[in-house]
Amino acid sequence: MPHTPERPDAHLLDEVAQRVLWLATRIVDAANRERITGDGVKVGGHQASSASLVTTMTALWFAHLDAADRISVKPHASPAFHAIQYLLGNLDRSYLTRLRDFGGLQSYPSRTKDPDHVDFSTGSVGLGPAAPLFAAVARRYVDAHFGPRPASRFIALLGDAELDEGNIWEAVADPATQGLGNVMWVVDFNRQSLDRVVPGIRIQQWRAQFAAAGWHVVEVKYGPRLHAAYGRPGGAGLEAWIDAMTNERYQSLFGMAPADVRERFLDGAPDDVRTFCATLSDDELASLVTDLGGHDVTAMLNAFAACDAVTDRPSVVFAYTVKGWGLPLAGNPRNHSALLSGEQIDALRARVGLTADTEWDRLDPTTAAGQLAALRAEHLRRDPVQTRSPLPVPTATGLSSAKPMSTQEAFGRILVGLSRIDGVGDHLVTTAPDVATSTNLAGFINRTGVFAPEERRSWSPDPLVKWSESPAGQHIELGISEMNLFLLLGMLGLTWDHSDQLLLPVGTLYDPFVLRGLDAYVYAAYSGSRFVVAGTPSGVTLAPEGGAHQSTITASVGLELPNTTLIEPAYAVALDWLLCHALARIADPGQGDALGKTEDGAYYFRLTTRPLDQAPFEEARARLGDATLRRQVLAGAYRLRDAGGDEGVPVVQLAACGAVLPETLAAAAELAEEGILAHVVDITSADRLYAAWQRTLRQGIRTATTPSIPGALRAAFDMRAPIVTVHDASSHTLAWLGSALGVPCVPLGVDAFGQSGAVADLYAVNDLTPGSIVNAALAALALR
Ligand SMILES: Cc1ncc(C[n+]2csc(CCOP(=O)(O)OP(=O)(O)O)c2C)c(N)n1
Ligand SMILES: [Mg+2]
């Protein structure tokens, strides 16, 4: 399929653009003026932001895009996006009056909730534009490993104020995003943000920043009339005068009466500009000086073609536009959330030649515009995403260790084990923001190599890590940007949609820095992406490293974040089962769930470098058997130490997660000496337990019945006895267990910033020592 189909006539595209402008405006209007919600909360929507991109979007969908292209649309242009989908026949008419309605069109494009196909969710500004850049990184990887897909262009339409977000520049600067000639960003350069006209003139800075990062920069600044004026005698002075004008002053011309425009425009102007403008009427002058290129379809299509011609680096187009183009609120500094009045809507409807009866119609199929829509709909039609057979991910790699082992070490070994398995190893792709070796990916990298679009010579061979870079490598190394890590993981986890290829993505980073990339993590989860991320090492157990590297609230984040499952095992074999299970879920999203619940999304493993004696796990294994133990480990908890049960002896349940199991076991032994039975439960996934509890609670609430205690909890805590929870994370992550089981609960954890020291020091200061756990158990018993 050719990249540039025969270009439709500009007048025809202008006609279509008017209809897009009308529908986008009216979609927001109907939501606000016609919907009765009765809740007093304004519905909202963005007519001006949509109008600003109407020309660009019409040019793209009606004259430029191919079916294989993938595009991210600025959040506030969602009405224009849905208007276009409707005109192309991809959206039912009933949705046009359902913007921001429950089950209707989402306020901002959503992959998972919109009724028409959205390639990239947007909403949190800055992330939407970065997504297709990283999707192109993922495509480059897929093409190199699984053969070239039909060529796609990865496009982002972004607001100019989105360039204020730091993640934009982290994405642009990362070595992993260099050289992607199939990427084009179109900046809707309307010089307005939400609150104001952006002060000064920022274009030189933006241009230089993109160019310095190796991007191809295109400006579509002036419309055809201004271009013609610049070519006339005296026109050069006019161009210099407009170029030097600040945004605030230029923007102020839009809302003015033509006579006032002359006065404002010429205030302080040199003589040649005055002379030039003297030949124009007030109306001509006002319309001339606000004639911008971003509303010239021909100029925009030429810019897209110029970007296609540059194939060795990403392109950015600065399209100079008018926020509110073609609407009475054009250029008004306060127009971001402004809505047209009923009279203004009536006037617009009449201007585009529609009536109350025809206002929601599609383009008349008997007209040239209607025929263009039909042709483009056919041209853009995509095959549905294929369902494919699951990858043969095993239930375990068979890892075992007689020696003490940390979960971080086990993680590295399991990945090496998986890399050896046919049909699995080749689908694994790892990524890290400059911490691959310190998070134990070295073994995997030694087997698979590092990905680079071209073979790179290694200048300093390392005996420990074989850092050979080539298109065959399966590790994508990033600069130190946790935002980029989660953006890339998010896109690697969506290659089944964007690039017709399922991958098994695994990312690693130091656990505290999950928070540094959290916005992109939330974005990935919101977008429905599936991947594994290991936060390692975590907690104050990273003792000598000190407070800046010790994570405390990440476990809560993992538990609370939707579409993400927090997993924090203590023992190597448990991790083996859990990691294989997670990858199997990613490899077969449709698979029936052994746990009886649907749990799609990311798997967040919170790991540690503390070597733990594996013997207690082997004892539990001998007691429970592999099948039962594995089922309970996957479900979130199992009884690690069974204290037996003597009638009349006080019983306490010590529920611990991760690195603190040795202290918990020691506390149980001390309690036994004091005549108290202490069972020890290893919480492998607080998240799965919590989710199971919530499900039974909600079931009870919705059916007005007494909620039961979920099976996963009952299996691990088979009695009503007080609980102490122990976690190298904030104490509240597990504190809910008391409520869930209806027993007193004393939660121990880390509720202050850490500091340097030995593990024993840090555990002492945070009450995670055996002595503290014993005292907490006594307190829990006293609270009965
Ligand atoms: C991360 C984030 N911060 C703040 C907002 C609120 N917000 C929405 S739009 C906007 C201004 C956007 O300006 P620009 O990108 O220039 O878009 P346009 O002018 O085209 O509306 C802001 C601050 C947001 N959506 N996301
Ligand atoms: Mg703007």
Side-chain angles (χ1 to χ4, degrees):
M1 197 169 284
H3 255 338
T4 316
E6 198 180 326
R7 188 184 284 190
D9 178 70
H11 294 297
L12 186 57
L13 291 170
D14 284 339
E15 184 189 334
V16 175
Q18 286 303 313
R19 185 65 76 94
V20 175
L21 174 66
W22 160 253
L23 283 174
T25 309
R26 183 72 176 102
I27 284 172
V28 178
D29 176 67
N32 283 276
R33 285 197 310 119
E34 289 164 17
R35 184 170 313 144
I36 299 158
T37 60
D39 55 20
V41 176
K42 86 162 186 171
V43 177
H46 301 88
Q47 292 171 334
S49 300
S50 289
S52 189
L53 266 183
V54 159
T55 316
T56 297
M57 291 174 72
T58 304
L60 281 169
W61 268 272
F62 289 86
H64 184 73
L65 293 179
D66 294 333
D69 296 337
R70 297 289 185 271
I71 184 159
S72 158
V73 177
K74 171 185 93 161
H76 301 74
S78 76
F81 172 77
H82 295 302
I84 288 172
Q85 295 308 317
Y86 170 66
L87 291 178
L88 293 173
N90 300 331
L91 184 70
D92 191 75
R93 181 180 178 138
S94 61
Y95 282 105
L96 299 181
T97 50
R98 298 192 58 206
L99 177 72
R100 300 179 166 231
D101 194 12
F102 187 69
L105 299 176
Q106 299 303 298
S107 38
Y108 309 113
S110 166
R111 282 181 53 81
T112 55
K113 303 220 165 60
D114 265 321
D116 39 7
H117 189 90
V118 168
D119 292 329
F120 301 94
S121 298
T122 62
S124 176
V125 299
L127 296 171
L133 184 62
F134 283 97
V137 174
R139 170 66 65 86
R140 178 158 66 185
Y141 180 91
V142 165
D143 282 351
H145 285 263
F146 301 91
R149 322 277 106 175
S152 302
R153 292 168 294 190
F154 290 86
I155 299 171
L157 307 179
L158 58 150
D160 47 349
E162 294 197 56
L163 298 178
D164 291 337
E165 289 285 3
N167 87 272
I168 289 273
W169 302 104
E170 292 182 42
V172 164
D174 200 289
T177 66
Q178 304 304 294
L180 291 162
N182 55 352
V183 169
M184 175 174 76
W185 283 8
V186 183
V187 180
D188 180 4
F189 207 67
N190 58 29
R191 304 161 306 285
Q192 289 184 235
S193 55
L194 188 157
D195 278 338
R196 59 176 179 173
V197 172
V198 177
I201 308 173
R202 300 204 64 187
I203 184 68
Q204 286 93 336
Q205 183 195 339
W206 298 142
R207 213 172 30 209
Q209 286 185 198
F210 277 106
W215 284 49
H216 164 236
V217 184
V218 179
E219 270 183 54
V220 185
K221 194 164 186 181
Y222 304 114
R225 283 173 297 124
L226 264 181
H227 269 302
Y230 295 158
R232 295 208 293 272
L238 179 72
E239 182 169 8
W241 181 240
I242 293 182
D243 273 356
M245 197 169 283
T246 63
N247 291 340
E248 297 96 315
R249 179 169 174 183
Y250 182 74
Q251 238 19 56
S252 75
L253 303 174
F254 283 91
M256 286 184 155
D260 300 330
V261 169
R262 181 181 298 274
E263 197 185 330
R264 173 75 54 87
F265 183 72
L266 292 178
D267 184 3
D271 288 346
D272 58 340
V273 177
R274 292 176 173 281
T275 312
F276 187 95
C277 293
T279 62
L280 304 169
S281 72
D282 287 348
D283 282 342
E284 284 168 339
L285 180 68
S287 127
L288 177 68
V289 299
T290 54
D291 176 34
L292 294 180
H295 299 295
D296 176 5
V297 278
T298 304
M300 289 308 299
L301 288 170
N302 290 344
F304 302 155
C307 296
D308 280 347
V310 175
T311 56
D312 62 346
R313 58 212 148 111
S315 291
V316 57
V317 178
F318 285 92
Y320 281 66
T321 54
V322 181
K323 190 156 173 169
W325 174 74
L327 303 178
L329 35 76
N332 183 320
R334 312 284 322 146
N335 67 9
H336 186 77
S337 311
L339 299 172
L340 266 59
S341 67
E343 294 75 46
Q344 289 171 326
I345 287 289
D346 292 342
L348 181 63
R349 186 191 297 109
R351 192 186 90 197
V352 296
L354 294 169
T355 66
D357 288 337
T358 60
E359 63 173 355
W360 295 115
D361 285 359
R362 290 200 170 92
L363 294 160
D364 179 349
T366 64
T367 64
Q371 283 156 14
L372 175 64
L375 274 173
R376 293 297 301 173
E378 191 49 39
H379 182 77
L380 293 170
R381 196 169 316 284
R382 286 185 194 161
D383 294 334
V385 174
Q386 287 176 27
T387 45
R388 50 186 93 233
S389 41
L391 306 177
V393 180
T395 51
T397 63
L399 178 75
S400 69
S401 175
K403 290 199 309 251
M405 186 185 270
S406 72
T407 45
Q408 176 171 304
E409 186 186 347
F411 176 77
R413 291 192 187 202
I414 295 162
L415 282 182
V416 170
L418 287 168
S419 75
R420 295 201 171 98
I421 297 172
D422 277 352
V424 175
D426 54 343
H427 287 69
L428 281 169
V429 51
T430 62
T431 178
D434 199 31
V435 290
T437 47
S438 51
T439 55
N440 219 24
L441 287 181
F444 181 81
I445 290 173
N446 281 341
R447 278 191 51 81
T448 63
V450 177
F451 178 73
E454 276 102 35
E455 189 102 24
R456 289 192 193 139
R457 184 169 164 187
S458 169
W459 293 97
S460 40
D462 181 332
L464 294 179
V465 192
K466 221 168 70 215
W467 199 271
S468 62
E469 296 179 68
S470 78
Q474 286 179 238
H475 169 77
I476 303 178
E477 181 75 355
L478 295 164
I480 318 171
S481 165
E482 290 73 20
M483 277 290 202
N484 287 351
L485 173 77
F486 282 106
L487 278 160
L488 179 56
L489 275 177
M491 292 305 119
L492 290 170
L494 290 174
T495 49
W496 56 270
D497 181 24
H498 293 146
S499 295
D500 191 26
Q501 176 63 53
L502 184 90
L503 294 174
L504 299 175
V506 177
T508 62
L509 77 171
Y510 295 173
D511 194 56
F513 307 134
V514 165
L515 302 173
R516 192 78 189 255
L518 186 57
D519 205 12
Y521 190 174
V522 172
Y523 175 78
Y526 177 73
S527 299
S529 180
R530 298 187 174 98
F531 54 85
V532 163
V533 61
T536 183
S538 61
V540 294
T541 307
L542 184 59
E545 276 286 308
H549 278 61
Q550 294 165 355
S551 60
T552 59
I553 65 169
T554 49
S556 298
V557 168
L559 189 152
E560 288 163 23
L561 185 58
N563 292 15
T564 265
T565 304
L566 171 75
I567 298 170
E568 188 172 354
Y571 298 103
V573 171
L575 175 59
D576 194 11
W577 293 340
L578 286 156
L579 187 54
C580 288
H581 176 257
L583 289 167
R585 296 290 305 251
I586 294 169
D588 180 15
Q591 132 184 310
D593 183 14
L595 306 176
K597 61 175 188 157
T598 51
E599 176 197 69
D600 290 326
Y603 296 87
Y604 171 15
F605 287 81
R606 196 167 179 270
L607 307 179
T608 168
T609 45
R610 186 183 194 199
L612 295 196
D613 177 12
Q614 305 291 308
F617 185 82
E618 291 305 322
E619 284 161 27
R621 205 171 174 180
R623 176 166 43 84
L624 294 167
D626 268 20
T628 301
L629 181 57
R630 179 172 180 273
R631 193 174 63 245
Q632 294 187 5
V633 162
L634 295 185
Y638 65 95
R639 189 175 282 180
L640 177 68
R641 175 186 191 271
D642 193 302
D646 287 345
E647 272 306 297
V649 178
V651 182
V652 62
Q653 312 186 82
L654 308 179
C657 184
V660 291
L661 253 314
E663 282 65 25
T664 312
L665 287 165
E670 279 184 35
L671 285 163
E673 284 169 22
E674 294 185 26
I676 297 170
L677 293 180
H679 300 300
V680 176
V681 175
D682 175 5
I683 309 280
T684 51
S685 173
D687 197 345
R688 285 193 177 139
L689 293 181
Y690 188 79
W693 180 44
Q694 276 296 318
R695 272 193 304 278
T696 55
L697 283 182
R698 304 233 176 179
Q699 172 75 7
I701 291 165
R702 286 171 189 166
T703 54
T705 53
T706 309
S708 57
I709 294 179
L713 278 173
R714 263 187 284 114
F717 302 91
D718 67 358
M719 59 193 318
R720 285 176 68 90
I723 294 189
V724 176
T725 64
V726 194
H727 198 181
D728 182 1
S730 62
S731 61
H732 114 271
T733 316
L734 295 176
W736 54 272
L737 270 170
S739 287
L741 296 162
V743 296
C745 177
V746 177
L748 296 177
V750 181
D751 297 321
F753 286 118
Q755 56 188 301
S756 298
V759 172
D761 300 322
L762 274 298
Y763 281 12
V765 88
N766 289 292
D767 300 313
L768 297 173
T769 58
S772 300
I773 298 168
V774 165
N775 289 348
L778 299 175
L781 285 165
L783 288 169
R784 263 180 307 179

